[in-house]
Amino acid sequence: MGSSKALCSVSLLHLFIVVCLVFQCFATKNHADLTTTLTVNASDASGKPIPETLFGIFFEEINHAGAGGLWAELVSNRGFEAGGPNTPSNIDPWSIIGNESLINVETDRTSCFDRNKVALRLEVSCDSEGDNICPADGVGVYNPGFWGMNIEQGKKYKVVFYVRSTESLNLTVSLTGSNGVGNLASSVITGSALDFSNWTKVEKILVAKATDNNSRLQLTTTTKGVIWLDQVSAMPLDTYKGHGFRTDLVEMLTALKPRFIRFPGGCFVEGEWLRNAFRWKTSIGPWEERPGHFGDVWMYWTDDGLGYYEFLQLAEDLGASPIWVFNNGVSHNDQVDTSAVLPLVQEALDGIEFARGDPTSKWGSLRAAMGHPEPFDLRYVAVGNEDCGKKNYRGNYLKFYSAIKSAYPDIQIISNCDGSSRPLDHPADMYDYHVYTNANDMFSRANTFDHTSRNGPKAFVSEYAVTGKDAGTGSLLAALAEAGFLIGLEKNSDVIQMASYAPLFVNANDRRWNPDAIVFNSFQLYGTPSYWVQLFFSESSGATLLSTSLQAPSSNSLVASAITFQNSVDKKNYIRIKVVNFGTTAVNLKISLDGLEPNSLQLSGSTKTVLTSANVMDENSFSQPKKVVPIQSLLQNVEKDMNVTVPPRSFTSFDLLKQSSNLKMAGSDSSTWSSI
């Protein structure tokens, strides 16, 4: 009995040892699986040029991105046209100061502007003396702007309006708090009845005495009579380059270094119905004469102060190539037959002449009169938006293509039809590719263009974003999936000419679409994680793509690319290696740089930048605008073979300074990767 028990114990011990060894073997293997090798061919001869235009931006008038956003006009419905051409009409968001016994306000059609005839008539019953005394602060109207006007102490605001009166005029124009209390700035306009018997333009510069982010503009009087107002405007004087754009929002764009800007839509170009589509000819000329229009896709009125000319100017200010998207006779609900589309073809040709024509030409002279005698550098146009497959698109497209190529053979024409998986059945210089999907699908699309034909037109990925529950209002998860997709685009840049995220802007008071790259209100703004991802690619356009090979034994959650570029700020040469870890575990990554000359890398001056957060659904907000932003730190002991750890759910960039640059580093070891 005793010896059998001992033998049994020995056998159990042997079994325990074997089990432990097997477990250790598997554990070692699992650990090894987390070690991935990225080989980069860093020789100068092996690289391939990336298009100069690869990454840019797409602006659509959606979410009050322009009206109440990028365009710095503070007054909403400045011409009283938003209520429609029939009077009396709704004057929203204008409101009346004073009750019915003191003032009666209504619209009529007495404006001096032929294309927008509606004006505002104020019949004032009270006076500064007599039986019906006006309140001390007067009666009149006020405009709250787009969810409050941001008025800042010390800044100057140009107020312009047109006025006429049956009696002598004593009109106060002022900027006040949201409830009319607190005079931030004001000016009094006076004159005889003869002075204002006809429409008269008034301009005043108001200097703010205090700051209020939720202000309003008031026009009030204490004098009996009838006053008409029209085309009331208030603009800060410190717009970007003096061209009318909100400076802080444009600075967010300049940080991206966009090589192109696609405008003005999107569905905004199409309209639910053609009668409400954006038409370039009604958006140019003096702002007072622009009729504005109701965008029936995103359901709000725009005064079209941000018009065709301003978009071209913005492109020039950004150093970006303009890409004009025009309507091809197709909306969401109605279409122009191909047999009747030639007038719209001519309208497109006129638009190109406006942008590029000699200042003595019919439409070029109008551009010159607006202050830009030199032609704009318009080289790309898109015929419609998301219209491929609609009954008249192909026939209409061919009419536009033939006419434009005949008149302007150098212009690149973009088709709405996707040519990524099969050849187009019509001529085009580029084809449009749009993708809105969940995070997993977006990440998997990093390989979408691997098998696209290398012949024929190139792709313009003009709209991409993760949407739905994965995105929230701008999550890290969405951004990481998009980063993986963009790495795939970068690696396939031989067949991809351009790429841009959508939508670009959202006014937090009017979220028509989620998510968006940049969120703002009247005085605040922040970039979503998707915005920050785009900064990782800001040096890619015109850079050199390096060949990479990723050996990951058991993981498909990693994608990577490498480029060489000259930094546009310090003019030094770098190798940038970008890695997305879409998985939930950290990865030990061995980076091996082949083809480098000895001592090609600086021992110091290289950096690592990481975008990640504690929770993959984390978002930025006005209260925490930099909760999820890239963090940059110095990278020590840079060699041709390096072992690094890539955090889970992260986007990492390694910027390796090449030896010829002689960079001198200063400052702290860690910083937020932003100058905003």
Side-chain angles (χ1 to χ4, degrees):
M1 293 285 297
S3 61
S4 297
K5 184 177 181 181
L7 181 60
C8 181
S9 298
V10 171
S11 298
L12 288 173
L13 178 61
H14 286 168
L15 180 61
F16 178 77
I17 292 172
V18 169
V19 170
C20 287
L21 289 173
V22 171
F23 179 82
Q24 184 177 7
C25 177
F26 278 105
T28 302
K29 185 179 187 303
N30 287 339
H31 180 73
D33 283 350
L34 296 179
T35 300
T36 300
T37 300
L38 176 65
T39 303
V40 179
N41 187 340
S43 63
D44 294 334
S46 68
K48 297 180 180 179
I50 295 174
E52 293 282 347
T53 56
L54 186 57
F55 291 112
I57 56 177
F58 163 46
F59 180 95
E60 177 165 14
E61 182 58 87
I62 180 176
N63 305 318
H64 275 88
L70 184 65
W71 188 241
E73 173 63 64
L74 297 175
V75 177
S76 177
N77 189 18
R78 69 185 180 198
F80 310 102
E81 303 289 334
N86 298 318
T87 59
S89 57
N90 188 0
I91 63 172
D92 185 71
W94 290 90
S95 294
I96 301 170
I97 302 171
N99 62 40
E100 294 175 357
S101 67
L102 304 174
I103 184 172
N104 180 60
V105 177
E106 64 178 330
T107 55
D108 64 19
R109 293 185 56 81
T110 60
S111 173
C112 59
F113 300 109
D114 291 336
R115 292 201 294 180
N116 41 14
K117 294 301 296 183
V118 177
L120 191 68
R121 181 180 185 274
L122 292 76
E123 184 175 355
V124 180
S125 304
C126 61
D127 209 340
S128 56
E129 56 186 21
D131 296 334
N132 193 5
I133 303 295
C134 291
D137 293 331
V139 296
V141 290
Y142 73 86
N143 188 289
F146 301 89
W147 302 281
M149 299 180 180
N150 181 36
I151 304 301
E152 298 179 76
Q153 184 175 3
K155 287 192 175 183
K156 297 179 179 179
Y157 300 84
K158 184 178 182 180
V159 177
V160 181
F161 59 94
Y162 289 76
V163 62
R164 70 184 182 97
S165 177
T166 58
E167 309 294 337
S168 60
L169 186 70
N170 188 327
L171 187 69
T172 299
V173 54
S174 57
L175 295 167
T176 74
S178 61
N179 57 0
V181 176
N183 188 341
L184 305 175
S186 64
S187 181
V188 179
I189 295 92
T190 59
S192 67
L194 183 61
D195 293 333
F196 291 98
S197 60
N198 296 313
W199 283 106
T200 303
K201 185 177 183 179
V202 175
E203 296 187 18
K204 290 291 181 181
I205 303 297
L206 302 183
V207 182
K209 298 179 290 185
T211 295
D212 190 325
N213 309 131
N214 190 26
S215 306
R216 71 191 201 187
L217 176 72
Q218 295 189 169
L219 295 108
T220 55
T221 184
T222 57
T223 302
K224 185 177 181 178
V226 180
I227 300 171
W228 286 264
L229 297 171
D230 199 11
Q231 296 300 327
V232 183
S233 169
M235 291 272 279
L237 288 187
D238 63 342
T239 60
Y240 191 78
K241 295 189 175 183
H243 290 151
F245 308 113
R246 182 170 151 178
T247 299
D248 56 347
L249 293 180
V250 178
E251 287 173 347
M252 291 284 282
L253 303 184
T254 61
L256 296 175
K257 302 173 185 173
R259 296 302 182 92
F260 66 83
I261 175 171
R262 176 181 183 243
F263 66 87
C267 297
F268 182 72
V269 169
E270 299 169 276
E272 286 293 329
W273 299 91
L274 284 170
R275 64 177 175 265
N276 292 320
F278 178 82
R279 305 297 288 269
W280 77 267
K281 286 184 178 179
T282 61
S283 76
I284 60 170
W287 60 266
E288 303 97 324
E289 298 176 11
R290 302 181 190 183
H293 80 289
F294 179 72
D296 61 354
V297 175
W298 307 121
M299 301 302 291
Y300 60 89
W301 175 265
T302 59
D303 288 315
D304 289 336
L306 180 57
Y308 182 46
Y309 174 89
E310 286 75 23
F311 282 118
L312 293 167
Q313 184 64 67
L314 177 62
E316 185 174 272
D317 289 350
L318 292 171
S321 294
I323 302 177
W324 178 34
V325 185
F326 54 74
N327 189 290
N328 67 98
V330 178
S331 77
H332 289 181
N333 290 296
D334 58 344
Q335 303 181 37
V336 174
D337 190 81
T338 299
S339 64
V341 81
L342 287 182
L344 290 178
V345 173
Q346 186 59 53
E347 185 171 292
L349 292 172
D350 292 344
I352 297 171
E353 181 182 286
F354 176 85
R356 295 182 28 155
D358 186 274
T360 60
S361 65
K362 176 181 177 180
W363 293 103
S365 63
L366 183 52
R367 181 200 68 240
M370 293 181 69
H372 203 286
E374 303 83 9
F376 288 109
D377 187 23
L378 179 64
R379 289 176 281 162
Y380 306 95
V381 297
V383 183
N385 171 74
E386 295 181 350
D387 292 328
C388 187
K390 295 179 181 177
K391 180 171 66 76
N392 294 337
Y393 179 70
R394 188 179 184 279
N396 290 5
Y397 171 88
L398 290 172
K399 293 287 188 182
F400 282 93
Y401 183 91
S402 176
I404 293 170
K405 282 297 185 182
S406 177
Y408 302 95
D410 63 305
I411 281 189
Q412 301 285 290
I413 300 177
I414 303 162
S415 167
N416 286 180
C417 299
D418 178 12
S420 62
S421 58
R422 61 182 180 182
L424 299 178
D425 65 355
H426 54 271
D429 297 296
M430 280 182 273
Y431 61 86
D432 228 342
Y433 181 93
H434 295 183
V435 55
Y436 297 100
T437 186
N438 62 63
N440 286 335
D441 184 60
M442 181 67 80
F443 186 77
S444 72
R445 289 176 183 248
N447 301 318
T448 292
F449 292 91
D450 289 0
H451 305 294
T452 295
S453 172
R454 267 46 197 169
N455 301 314
K458 293 188 177 184
F460 178 17
V461 184
S462 62
E463 298 183 32
Y464 73 87
V466 171
T467 55
K469 65 180 182 179
D470 288 346
T473 56
S475 69
L476 173 64
L477 178 63
L480 295 179
E482 292 157 3
F485 177 64
L486 291 182
I487 281 181
L489 299 188
E490 185 175 78
K491 295 174 74 172
N492 283 287
S493 56
D494 58 322
V495 294
I496 297 168
Q497 191 70 26
M498 301 173 175
S500 52
Y501 179 90
L504 183 61
F505 287 117
V506 59
N507 187 314
N509 296 285
D510 187 37
R511 287 185 179 271
R512 304 276 166 163
W513 186 282
N514 282 313
D516 309 270
I518 299 168
V519 184
F520 66 89
N521 57 25
S522 70
F523 68 103
Q524 297 169 296
L525 75 167
Y526 63 85
T528 62
S530 294
Y531 168 84
W532 293 105
V533 158
Q534 294 175 63
L535 261 73
F536 283 79
F537 295 87
S538 62
E539 299 287 1
S540 293
S541 300
T544 299
L545 179 69
L546 300 177
S547 175
T548 57
S549 175
L550 193 62
Q551 295 177 327
S554 65
S555 173
N556 59 0
S557 64
L558 228 63
V559 292
S561 67
I563 64 171
T564 61
F565 69 98
Q566 184 181 73
N567 187 291
S568 56
V569 176
D570 62 23
K571 305 302 181 185
K572 301 180 188 299
N573 297 314
Y574 292 84
I575 296 173
R576 173 171 289 178
I577 299 168
K578 297 188 289 291
V579 183
V580 177
N581 183 359
F582 199 60
T584 57
T585 58
V587 174
N588 297 320
L589 181 66
K590 179 182 178 181
I591 299 175
S592 180
L593 298 169
D594 293 343
L596 281 178
E597 296 293 329
N599 303 316
S600 292
L601 299 175
Q602 282 271 32
L603 294 178
S604 61
S606 297
T607 58
K608 176 178 72 172
T609 305
V610 182
L611 179 69
T612 191
S613 191
N615 188 311
V616 77
M617 294 307 295
D618 280 349
E619 301 184 2
N620 294 328
S621 62
F622 290 129
S623 60
Q624 292 182 289
K626 294 187 177 180
K627 182 176 183 178
V628 188
V629 296
I631 303 298
Q632 187 181 81
S633 60
L634 293 179
L635 191 60
Q636 305 295 338
N637 303 318
V638 175
E639 299 177 301
K640 66 180 296 294
D641 292 305
M642 298 181 295
N643 291 305
V644 297
T645 300
V646 183
R649 299 294 201 184
S650 69
F651 186 18
T652 304
S653 171
F654 302 95
D655 282 10
L656 310 181
L657 178 61
K658 299 183 79 170
Q659 184 63 256
S660 59
S661 302
N662 299 317
L663 179 67
K664 295 181 180 179
M665 294 293 293
S668 65
D669 287 346
S670 180
S671 63
T672 299
W673 197 32
S674 169
S675 59
I676 304 298

